[in-house]
Structures are given as C-alpha cells and as structure tokens.
Amino acid sequence: MTKNYVYLDQYGILHLHNQQEAAQHGKNVVTDLQADESGFPVIEGQGVVYYAREDKAYIRGNKSDGKLIATPPVLKQLAAELL
C-alpha cells in the first residue's frame, strides 16, 4: 500500500500527495489513506473535501456544491496533528 502525506493548504483544506509534493506545503504527516485523482482523501470509496478549521466534510464537491457529511474521525485526527 502506498503511503501518502497529508497537509493543509492556505484555506485549511486537507490534501494527500507524495512526500515531495507535501513537503512543499510545510508541515505534513504520513497516512495510509489513499487519495482520489484530485488529491483528496478517499473515505468509503468517495473523495472527501475536508475543511479542517471549520470541521466540515463534503463528498461529490466542496462546500459550494458538495454534500455535507459527518466528519470521518480519521480526518479530524490528521488535521489535529497539522493545526
């Protein structure tokens, strides 16, 4: 299984990428979570856009057009390590 590295962008959105890419964005942590084609974590088969500062998670889009879901605990835990 490929390791990914999690970081928060300037808007507090959680992203997953390889170590080299994540390092360019500052603080990052390693995870076993997989990323979708846009670099968002995949939870139960769906890409999730997670706004860490707001503690809000969306599937099938972002906060302007996605569906709000309960925040997966693993995303809260990863964000806590980055904030």
Side-chain angles (χ1 to χ4, degrees):
M1 183 178 283
T2 303
K3 296 285 185 184
N4 281 304
Y5 292 78
V6 179
Y7 68 90
L8 297 175
D9 68 14
Q10 68 267 27
Y11 305 106
I13 300 171
L14 194 136
H15 296 269
L16 280 73
H17 284 287
N18 62 42
Q19 186 176 21
Q20 183 178 0
E21 175 70 23
Q24 294 176 20
H25 297 276
K27 188 174 183 180
N28 60 81
V29 294
V30 67
T31 183
D32 288 330
L33 285 178
Q34 296 304 301
D36 69 8
E37 62 280 350
S38 298
F40 296 112
V42 173
I43 306 289
E44 296 181 10
Q46 297 193 62
V48 176
V49 179
Y50 179 57
Y51 294 82
R53 295 181 192 128
E54 301 169 19
D55 189 28
K56 301 220 178 192
Y58 300 86
I59 58 171
R60 296 188 293 277
N62 58 29
K63 66 181 171 182
S64 66
D65 62 357
K67 178 183 176 197
L68 181 65
I69 61 168
T71 301
V74 66
L75 298 184
K76 280 187 182 189
Q77 177 186 0
L78 288 168
E81 293 180 49
L82 294 167
L83 292 173

